[in-house]
């Protein structure tokens, strides 16, 4: 058995979890999380054929379909060889999975949805109001990011990485910078390391605030939405004042950060954290005490812990279903080993649990922001870049879950780069969580997962 | 909940007057049709469409509805159906996979209608202009009336752009 297939066997046995799988001309790559460490394995396949791991480990399925699409490879034995990211290139039209049975009807939704939403297609099969199955079709926002990365200059590549998913721009830019720094052997200065963590926590705070409101809005509780949106806006304005951009795009750069935080900025952010703590506490209570809202969220869209474990679901999706994982803690990256925070975990796996995780994470994140502001080291904010060749990879905890980046550098040029959004292992679980729910609850379940489209589609 | 509602009732309004109605980010791509302007009046219904964005532009479009910007006070609102829309607001590079959906959405909008391209990606593909998966912006597929620049444009820029369609000075 090759090392590739042996890794597949360990994945299937639950001894390792899948982090990513991708291809480049001549080789397929696998990233695994095993015994508390991030590992990488490359399998040469000069003929473009490699043994499918999805045969034994289903979470690899869509990644292998994508590898087939992007590199023209063949995953031998792949249980579902349909294209995934690239539309319209195959000779035959895309076929959804067949459904048979009495009383069943299909509903096709998307790619254009009502509202300001990213594009994706959902094919529902229902028995009356009950969803029997939903099949996702993604790839509508496939921008060919990895193709564009190959051969790009480092600064441009970093900007593109920061636009994989706009809501996670800091997380992506950070994962990209960490991977590039590992490849080149450049060490960012201490102040930059702490400022990066500060930006990452502000991003988490803004997204959690916005989404707690938006999920409640999908249960027709607009009051929460209005209040959370105000708090989110305050965070974005503070980000613009401190880092020059409301979403903090291009704030994290390879080698350090682009802008320093002034003492006035420190005071502004400390005031913001204080204000949000005070304003959010009554909102969290409001959520807890509104029976009509809980009636919608408790017991809805349950994701079983076994599936969360098998798919190594990251972020609040995994943590609401018993998966105690946070990339800030393991494998971990600085400065989090010097900061105190707890990672909330629940087992119920319903919409309510996913909201509760995010409500608690808002508190933890505010605590982190306060600790960072109090202990921010002085010094330079960017290191001189070391020109070398090398490979690097990094796993960073974004608000949605762990963002993975692998790259190969040649001097200041990116030879190859792969970026994996946490949604790759969350989207398939949404299909499982909705089963048996009424179709009217799909928007609520979907929002509670809040998977990325752009980040996933690359 | 009653307490929250009561507090809101007596709280100071957060909504701000528009401070930069003449934003540098706004660029008319062609002269606006005066007849259309008369017909569409002082209120616009907007259909948003993501044709390959990173979702950064969407986040700022969402922000338009928060209490600070309160889009609806200007007679502007986002609608679910293209059949109800006067404006098609497009973000993203226009991926190959979204091209048909974009064209069909546009065809479903009753005439006259305006097309607004939001963000660097929609303008010319932005940082992804070289992508073989993209059309290089909205202009390659539809006639664009207005560009709103930025990556992403701020809510103030977005408001200024939409008000330029109405030529309404605040
Ligand atoms: S213009 Fe910028 S923010 Fe908008 S979609 Fe493009 S990359 Fe994202």
């Amino acid at each position: 058995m090759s090392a590739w297939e042996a890794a597949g066997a360990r994945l299937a046995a639950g001894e390792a979890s899948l982090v990513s799988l991708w291809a480049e001309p001549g080789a397929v790559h696998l990233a695994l999380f095993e015994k508390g460490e991030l590992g990488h394995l490359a399998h040469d396949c000069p003929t473009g054929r490699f043994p499918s791991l999805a045969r034994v480990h289903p979470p690899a399925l869509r990644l292998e379909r994508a590898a087939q699409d992007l590199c023209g490879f063949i995953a031998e034995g792949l249980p579902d060889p349909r294209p995934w990211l690239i539309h319209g290139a195959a000779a035959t039209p895309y076929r959804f999975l067949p459904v048979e049975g009495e009383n069943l009807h299909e509903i096709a939704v998307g790619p254009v949805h009502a509202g300001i939403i990213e594009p994706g297609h959902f094919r529902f099969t229902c028995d009356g109001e009950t969803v029997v199955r939903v099949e996702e079709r993604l790839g509508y926002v496939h921008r060919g990011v990895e193709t564009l990365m190959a051969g790009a200059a480092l600064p441009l590549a970093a900007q593109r990485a920061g636009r994989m998913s706009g809501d996670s721009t800091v997380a992506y830019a950070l994962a990209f910078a960490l991977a590039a720094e590992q490849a080149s052997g450049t060490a960012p200065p201490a102040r930059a390391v702490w400022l990066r963590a500060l930006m990452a926590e502000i991003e988490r705070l803004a997204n959690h605030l916005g989404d707690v409101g938006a999920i409640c809005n999908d249960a027709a509780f607009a009051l929460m939405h209005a209040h959370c949106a105000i708090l989110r806006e305050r965070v974005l304005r503070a980000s613009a004042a401190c880092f020059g951009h409301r979403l903090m795009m291009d704030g994290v750069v390879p080698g350090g950060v682009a802008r320093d935080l002034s003492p006035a900025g420190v005071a502004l952010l400390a005031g913001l954290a204080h204000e949000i703590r005070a304003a959010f506490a009554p909102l969290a209570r409001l959520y807890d005490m509104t029976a009509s809202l809980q009636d919608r969220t408790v017991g809805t869209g349950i994701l079983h812990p076994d599936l969360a474990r098998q798919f190594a679901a990251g972020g609040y999706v995994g943590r609401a279903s018993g998966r105690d994982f946070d990339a800030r803690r393991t494998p971990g990256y600085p400065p989090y080993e010097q900061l105190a925070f707890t990672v909330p975990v629940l087992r119920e796996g319903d919409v309510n649990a996913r909201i509760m995780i995010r409500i608690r994470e808002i508190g933890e994140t505010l605590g982190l922001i306060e600790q960072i502001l109090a202990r921010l080291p002085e010094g330079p904010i960017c290191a001189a870049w070391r020109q070398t060749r090398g490979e690097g990879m990094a796993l960073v905890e974004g608000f949605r879950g762990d963002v993975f980046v692998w790259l190969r550098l040649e001097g200041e040029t990116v030879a190859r780069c792969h970026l994996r959004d946490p949604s790759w292992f969350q989207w398939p679980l949404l299909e499982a969580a909705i089963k048996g729910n009424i179709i009217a609850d799909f928007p609520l379940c979907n929002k509670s997962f809040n998977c990325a489209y752009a980040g996933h589609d690359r | 909940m009653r307490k929250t509602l009561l507090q809101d009732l007596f709280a100071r309004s957060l909504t701000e007057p528009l401070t930069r109605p003449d934003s540098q980010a706004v660029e008319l791509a062609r002269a606006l049709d005066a007849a259309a302007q008369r017909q569409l009046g002082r209120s616009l219904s907007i259909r948003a469409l993501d044709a390959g964005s990173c979702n950064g532009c969407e986040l700022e479009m969402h922000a338009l509805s928060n209490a600070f910007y309160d889009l609806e006070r200007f007679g502007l609102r986002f609608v679910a159906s293209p059949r109800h829309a006067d404006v098609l607001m497009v973000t993203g590079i226009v991926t190959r996979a979204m091209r048909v959906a974009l064209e069909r959405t546009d065809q479903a909008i009753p005439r006259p209608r305006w097309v607004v391209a939001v963000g660097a990606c929609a303008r010319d593909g932005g940082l992804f202009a070289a992508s073989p998966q993209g059309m290089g912006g909205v202009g390659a597929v539809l006639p664009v009336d207005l560009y709103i620049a930025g990556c992403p444009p701020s809510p103030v820029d977005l408001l200024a752009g939409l008000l330029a369609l109405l030529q309404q000075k605040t």
Side-chain angles (χ1 to χ4, degrees):
Chain A
M1 199 195 286
S2 66
W4 178 262
E5 283 168 297
R10 294 203 303 283
L11 286 171
E15 293 160 15
S17 39
L18 181 61
V19 173
S20 196
L21 186 156
W22 68 101
E24 64 170 320
V28 275
H29 296 257
L30 185 67
L32 303 164
F33 189 71
E34 204 169 11
K35 301 195 181 90
E37 280 185 37
L38 191 59
H40 169 244
L41 177 76
H43 176 76
D44 287 335
C45 54
T47 56
R49 292 176 165 270
F50 66 94
S52 159
L53 298 186
R55 278 175 310 163
V56 293
H57 190 56
L61 182 75
R62 289 176 177 179
L63 288 162
E64 289 186 345
R65 287 168 70 182
Q68 295 201 141
D69 282 358
L70 299 179
C71 256
F73 280 19
I74 302 218
E76 286 176 318
L78 185 63
D80 176 357
R82 292 174 300 167
W84 181 241
L85 286 184
I86 305 226
H87 292 204
T92 48
Y94 192 83
R95 298 195 83 92
F96 286 87
L97 298 175
V99 202
E100 274 174 45
E102 239 181 299
N103 292 332
L104 296 183
H105 63 281
E106 284 196 356
I107 307 172
V109 182
V112 180
H113 302 273
I116 311 171
I117 315 175
E118 295 180 79
H121 182 92
F122 302 101
R123 186 65 60 98
F124 296 91
T125 305
C126 300
D127 180 358
E129 274 197 292
T130 308
V131 178
V132 180
R133 177 204 278 164
V134 62
E135 187 184 349
E136 296 153 359
R137 172 96 175 100
L138 300 171
Y140 289 94
V141 273
H142 173 56
R143 291 167 292 164
V145 178
E146 291 180 0
T147 315
L148 287 175
M149 289 291 205
L154 192 58
L156 176 61
Q159 280 188 305
R160 285 184 179 142
R163 283 156 182 81
M164 272 285 284
S165 186
D167 52 17
S168 303
T169 175
V170 176
Y172 269 102
L174 178 54
F176 181 87
L178 289 176
E181 284 154 10
Q182 191 186 74
S184 93
T186 305
R191 187 172 174 82
V193 170
W194 285 68
L195 284 175
R196 287 172 170 186
L198 180 60
M199 285 192 251
E201 295 309 318
I202 293 173
E203 177 172 89
R204 194 181 323 279
L205 178 65
N207 282 304
H208 280 351
L209 284 171
D211 285 351
V212 167
I215 299 168
C216 295
N217 199 41
D218 274 350
F221 195 65
L223 179 64
M224 190 75 141
H225 183 48
H227 277 276
C228 287
I230 291 170
L231 298 185
R232 177 183 156 85
E233 178 69 20
R234 291 204 192 282
V235 177
L236 298 194
R237 289 180 174 202
S239 307
C242 295
F243 300 105
H245 192 287
R246 284 165 54 89
L247 305 176
M248 295 172 287
M249 275 178 173
D250 309 325
V252 176
V253 293
V257 292
R259 282 179 66 142
D260 203 357
L261 183 66
S262 67
V266 173
L268 183 92
L269 291 175
L272 176 83
H274 184 75
E275 185 192 349
I276 297 216
R277 215 181 254 291
F280 189 70
L283 294 180
R285 264 199 308 280
L286 178 62
Y287 173 78
D288 230 14
M289 313 242 306
T290 307
S292 59
L293 181 56
Q294 302 250 322
D295 188 42
R296 293 288 308 277
T297 60
V298 175
T300 306
I302 296 176
L303 170 64
H304 197 280
D306 289 347
L307 276 177
R309 190 174 347 103
Q310 186 190 15
F311 277 73
Y316 45 82
V317 172
R319 289 195 281 273
S321 293
R323 183 164 181 265
D324 187 3
F325 179 85
D326 188 315
R328 294 174 294 177
R329 197 180 52 192
T330 19
Y333 47 94
Y336 288 101
E337 74 287 351
Q338 301 177 53
L339 298 166
F341 64 105
T342 51
V343 177
V345 179
L346 293 170
R347 287 195 64 81
E348 288 78 4
D350 54 0
V351 172
N352 178 57
R354 288 186 284 278
I355 296 180
M356 287 313 296
I357 295 280
R358 299 184 81 171
I359 287 178
R360 287 185 202 170
E361 285 186 13
I362 288 174
E364 293 299 322
T365 290
L366 286 168
L368 283 167
I369 292 174
E370 286 160 349
Q371 292 175 57
I372 295 170
L373 289 171
R375 293 164 54 193
L376 200 58
E378 293 298 327
I381 55 162
C382 205
W385 194 253
R386 282 191 58 210
Q387 299 264 5
T388 41
R389 292 158 164 264
E391 290 183 8
M393 60 180 175
L395 199 64
V396 162
E397 189 72 22
F399 86 95
R400 185 179 274 124
D402 45 298
V403 168
F404 173 76
V405 172
W406 169 93
L407 52 75
R408 184 184 303 123
L409 271 187
E410 276 161 21
E412 282 195 74
T413 304
V414 175
R416 205 79 207 173
C417 178
H418 166 69
L419 311 107
R420 193 275 292 137
D421 195 89
S423 309
W424 278 89
F425 304 123
Q426 296 167 341
W427 274 121
L429 299 179
L430 177 62
E431 290 184 352
I434 189 66
K435 211 178 274 176
N437 286 257
I438 58 169
I439 188 155
D441 274 342
F442 180 74
L444 186 59
C445 294
N446 189 21
K447 192 70 210 175
S448 76
F449 271 67
N450 193 16
C451 299
Y453 296 77
H456 168 280
D457 291 354
R458 303 182 210 153
Chain B
M1 180 172 13
R2 231 173 304 145
K3 198 170 145 217
T4 315
L5 284 170
L6 265 176
Q7 277 171 354
D8 291 352
L9 208 56
F10 296 109
R12 186 176 52 88
S13 166
L14 293 170
T15 311
E16 298 165 336
L18 191 58
T19 45
R20 278 196 292 148
D22 300 312
S23 164
Q24 296 294 313
V26 177
E27 183 197 333
L28 277 181
R30 44 181 197 169
L32 291 175
D33 182 342
Q37 226 157 5
R38 256 197 319 279
Q39 201 174 332
L40 294 174
R42 302 182 346 112
S43 162
L44 289 179
S45 296
I46 308 157
R47 172 66 238 205
L49 193 128
D50 173 347
S53 97
C54 77
N55 80 26
C57 284
E58 276 64 31
L59 292 176
E60 295 297 52
M61 282 156 68
H62 270 293
L64 285 175
S65 302
N66 74 32
F68 292 89
Y69 305 108
D70 187 20
L71 175 85
E72 298 212 4
R73 78 187 133 141
F74 298 108
L76 303 167
R77 59 197 192 107
F78 288 103
V79 293
S81 170
R83 306 249 182 241
H84 300 160
D86 309 308
V87 173
L88 179 61
M89 200 166 177
V90 191
T91 61
I93 62 173
V94 187
T95 59
R96 286 164 175 272
M98 279 306 287
R99 183 188 180 143
V100 172
L102 173 61
E103 287 170 343
R104 288 198 192 157
T105 305
D106 178 59
Q107 282 155 16
I109 298 179
R111 278 14 182 195
R113 61 87 174 89
W114 284 314
V115 177
V116 178
V118 170
C121 290
R123 157 101 230 203
D124 57 9
L127 288 166
F128 304 96
S131 172
Q133 295 298 328
M135 314 301 300
V138 182
V141 180
L142 293 178
V144 176
D145 296 285
L146 181 81
Y147 290 109
I148 305 177
C151 184
S154 69
V156 173
D157 289 335
L158 289 170
L159 263 184
L162 290 169
L163 292 180
L165 288 180
L166 294 174
Q167 285 197 332
Q168 177 186 319
K169 293 279 177 276
T170 46

